[in-house]
Amino acid sequence: MPTDAFAVWATMEARPGREEAVRAFLTEAARRLRTEPGTTSFRAMDLGEGRFAIFNTFVDEAAFKTHVGGEVARWVQDSREELFTDPYAITLCRTFAAKGDVA
């Protein structure tokens, strides 16, 4: 089993003209997540045409649940309407293979 048992893939669309604010927001999210126990990675991606995505990994389901109920997740949700057009499209995944975890 991989070191990171759970992952989240989320996509979102910036409000028109808010793309730079979204980049700054997601950069700040990465900074805030540095100290969140159990969250092992965070990637923010610009998909073009005002679309963005994030990819997080977690050591286990408990770490994921802690993240969802945590301070950073609340801050992200509180900023959603200001920066994004629709609710995030979120996919929760169980990982089964990762670079470094397979021989």
Side-chain angles (χ1 to χ4, degrees), residues 65-81:
K65 288 180 178 179
T66 297
H67 167 75
V68 169
E71 180 181 320
V72 176
R74 279 192 300 279
W75 172 74
V76 166
Q77 288 299 325
D78 288 346
S79 302
R80 192 198 62 73
E81 286 190 30

Side-chain angles (χ1 to χ4, degrees), residues 1-42:
M1 174 179 249
T3 306
D4 305 318
F6 275 74
V8 169
W9 168 258
T11 57
M12 61 230 32
E13 187 170 334
R15 291 197 177 279
R18 301 293 288 158
E19 294 84 0
E20 287 303 317
V22 167
R23 284 185 195 90
F25 170 75
L26 293 175
T27 299
E28 176 62 15
R31 188 191 67 74
R32 291 180 182 213
L33 286 170
R34 285 184 197 150
T35 60
E36 187 175 81
T39 299
T40 54
S41 72
F42 175 86

Side-chain angles (χ1 to χ4, degrees), residues 76-92:
V76 166
Q77 288 299 325
D78 288 346
S79 302
R80 192 198 62 73
E81 286 190 30
E82 174 190 342
L83 297 172
F84 302 101
T85 60
D86 295 311
Y88 311 127
I90 300 172
T91 303
L92 176 61

